[in-house]
Amino acid sequence: MLRWVAQQYMTGLRGGSLEKNQRFMAFFFIPYLLILVSVTSGFYDTVMGACCYYALAIPMGVCFCMAFINPVRMPKLMYLCPLDQSMRRDYIRGACWFRIAVHTGLAVIGALVSLLFGNDWPGALGSAFTTFLFSILCIDMNGLASPRNTVGGCMEHLGRMMVRFFGMVLAFILEEIFISAAQSGGILAQARWEQILISIMTAVTLLLSIRYMLYLKEMQEDALYYEKTYAHREEKC
């Protein structure tokens, strides 16, 4: 199953079925993250500062782009083949956790690299943990579990999107704080009120991520059935 999940992940990187707006969001974010933010924030003032920025920012950028380029999908073949629900469930869960593991692994590598350019251990761990939460929030399963064309279904869909949106925004801001702190010696070198603020933001992001994981669990169960996955695909809320 893991091999199949990995193969589907690599196949999805081509993004052949992307819509124009998805391509725009994915590829607009790359120059924004790697050029605009770093220039306006002064991370290019020193070589070490630029290297530290890229080490922490690239994993989050990859995570965000993969949410648009390569969302979680259930091949129709899995509904047609004589596969039981447990195998479908294992595939969907494996696809989600595979993405989280890959993106978090990149974040851990980037955090370790940032230690060579002036970051401290709390800052490196905080950055990796933030990207871990961001990777959860970036999992897109709307293509698997389409919202029901009812008032309740639309409200539930809106709730999922709000949790996901605010969680991603908080995680992105938090990662920028970790990157900025790394430029000046890490989290331990910051003022006490800044450390408290970072802790509060991390806690809120964690709560939103946990809530979104519960939504993901519901969508995973819906995706086990062909009717729930494709019945409302053409209907809009």
Side-chain angles (χ1 to χ4, degrees), residues 1 4-5 8 72-95 144 223-226 230:
M1 186 64 70
W4 195 0
V5 168
Q8 291 296 323
V72 177
R73 299 184 185 277
M74 173 78 81
K76 288 188 177 181
L77 184 63
M78 295 197 71
Y79 295 110
L80 301 176
C81 291
L83 300 177
D84 56 19
Q85 293 181 13
S86 63
M87 294 188 67
R88 296 193 197 111
R89 184 180 290 108
D90 290 341
Y91 174 82
I92 297 172
R93 290 178 177 175
L144 276 180
L224 298 179
Y225 307 97
Y226 182 89
Y230 291 98

Side-chain angles (χ1 to χ4, degrees), residues 1-93:
M1 186 64 70
L2 178 60
R3 182 178 179 181
W4 195 0
V5 168
Q7 288 176 345
Q8 291 296 323
Y9 179 83
M10 297 304 298
T11 301
L13 292 180
R14 294 196 298 266
S17 61
L18 288 181
E19 298 178 0
K20 291 183 178 180
N21 61 330
Q22 291 177 311
R23 293 181 185 275
F24 175 79
M25 286 296 296
F27 294 106
F28 170 80
F29 189 75
I30 295 176
Y32 168 77
L33 182 71
L34 300 184
I35 300 176
L36 182 61
V37 174
S38 56
V39 171
T40 56
S41 302
F43 294 143
Y44 280 156
D45 292 344
T46 63
V47 174
M48 292 186 65
C51 293
C52 185
Y53 172 78
Y54 285 128
L56 298 179
I58 288 178
M60 178 165 282
V62 171
C63 184
F64 182 85
C65 289
M66 289 302 101
F68 291 93
I69 297 175
N70 191 17
V72 177
R73 299 184 185 277
M74 173 78 81
K76 288 188 177 181
L77 184 63
M78 295 197 71
Y79 295 110
L80 301 176
C81 291
L83 300 177
D84 56 19
Q85 293 181 13
S86 63
M87 294 188 67
R88 296 193 197 111
R89 184 180 290 108
D90 290 341
Y91 174 82
I92 297 172
R93 290 178 177 175

